[in-house]
Amino acid sequence: KQEVTQIPAALSVPEGENLVLNCSFTDSAIYNLQWFRQDPGKGLTSLLLIQSSQREQTSGRLNASLDKSSGRSTLYIAASQPGDSATYLCAVMGSWGKFQFGAGTQVVVTP
Amino acid sequence: SQTIHQWPATLVQPVGSPLSLECTVEGTSNPNLYWYRQAAGRGLQLLFYSVGIGQISSEVPQNLSASRPQDRQFILSSKKLLLSDSGFYLCAWSTTGANTEAFFGQGTRLTVV
C-alpha cells in the first residue's frame, strides 16, 4: 500500500527566505506527483504536476523535483512572501488510478 | 476551460438525518471523479472513486455512499448521518492517461450535531 509522508508538518520562516518542503512515498511505481496549496477552509489549488519521466518542474518562484527511485519530491519556493502562507500537500498517482495524499506541511511566512 | 462546482459550501445537519452533496464538472467529458474527506488536522482520505457512469469504487467501509447518474455529476449521500461524519468533503476530477492531473472543488464543511 502506498504511503506518503510530508516533513516537516509545520514551518515558519521570515519573509524573503526560501522554503523547502519534502514529500516521500513508499512505492516508486507512480505515474505522476502533484503539489497542491490549500488555504484555510478552502479547496486545493494545483501548483505543479511532475510526470514520472520528469526530474523537475518549474512555475515562477516554485520548483519541484522528483527522484522516483528514492521515493522523494521536494518543493522549493524562492523568496517567500506572507501570501505564501498556506498548507502544502503532495499527492502521488499510481497505476491504481487514484491519488494518495500526504498530511501536508503548514507554512507561515512572517512579515 | 474546465470548472468544478461543489455545493453546498457549509452544512449543519442533525444526527440521523440524510445527506446529499453534489458535484458537477464542466468543460470535459468522461472524467475520473473522486470524493475525499479531510478531518481536522489530518490528511485527505479517499472515500469514492468513479471512472464512468454507474461505476463506483468504495475505498473505506462507512456510512456513506456515492452515485454517478451522469457523466459529469457525482453525488455523495448518507441515509443517516453520524457524529463521526463531520468533516470537510472535497470533490475532485482528473483527466485520464499518463498526464493525469487532479482538480478540486472548494469543499463542503459538514457539521453533524
Side-chain angles (χ1 to χ4, degrees):
Chain A
K1 179 187 174 185
Q2 177 74 272
E3 294 195 2
V4 182
T5 304
Q6 290 188 247
I7 295 173
L11 185 61
S12 181
V13 299
E15 182 177 4
E17 274 201 11
N18 297 331
L19 287 163
V20 181
L21 309 178
N22 298 299
C23 172
S24 61
F25 46 95
T26 55
D27 185 352
S28 62
I30 65 169
Y31 278 166
N32 60 41
L33 185 144
Q34 196 168 353
W35 281 95
F36 294 87
R37 168 188 172 131
Q38 185 177 30
D39 294 295
K42 301 294 184 181
L44 278 65
T45 300
S46 179
L47 297 175
L48 289 168
L49 172 72
I50 309 178
Q51 298 172 34
S52 61
S53 59
Q54 296 177 317
R55 298 284 294 183
E56 68 175 347
Q57 192 68 253
T58 298
S59 175
R61 293 185 295 113
L62 276 61
N63 174 276
S65 65
L66 174 64
D67 184 343
K68 206 173 74 162
S69 61
S70 66
R72 294 179 189 172
S73 176
T74 302
L75 178 66
Y76 301 90
I77 303 177
S80 61
Q81 304 168 359
D84 294 329
S85 298
T87 296
Y88 292 82
L89 299 108
C90 70
V92 298
M93 183 190 163
S95 58
W96 56 94
K98 302 158 215 169
F99 293 85
Q100 184 72 32
F101 281 82
T105 295
Q106 186 175 8
V107 171
V108 175
V109 181
T110 55
Chain B
S1 64
Q2 303 90 353
T3 55
I4 179 169
H5 303 281
Q6 186 180 344
W7 68 92
T10 60
L11 192 59
V12 179
Q13 292 284 94
V15 169
S17 64
L19 172 73
S20 181
L21 302 181
E22 189 164 342
C23 173
T24 59
V25 181
E26 296 178 357
T28 187
S29 58
N30 197 31
N32 291 337
L33 295 173
Y34 311 82
W35 279 110
Y36 283 88
R37 177 169 60 200
Q38 187 176 36
R42 300 177 66 180
L44 274 73
Q45 180 186 37
L46 179 62
L47 302 176
F48 299 97
Y49 164 63
S50 173
V51 298
I53 296 174
Q55 301 179 61
I56 311 292
S57 295
S58 175
E59 294 299 303
V60 181
Q62 59 205 325
N63 186 42
L64 302 170
S65 63
S67 62
R68 183 171 178 173
Q70 300 180 42
D71 181 45
R72 289 169 289 177
Q73 184 185 28
F74 207 22
I75 298 172
L76 182 69
S77 303
S78 174
K79 292 182 179 178
K80 290 185 178 182
L81 284 168
L82 307 172
L83 286 174
S84 58
D85 292 324
S86 294
F88 192 51
Y89 289 83
L90 289 155
C91 179
W93 74 274
S94 74
T95 53
T96 57
N99 298 334
T100 298
E101 185 172 1
F103 301 92
F104 281 77
Q106 287 301 299
T108 296
R109 172 71 59 192
L110 172 66
T111 304
V112 182
V113 296

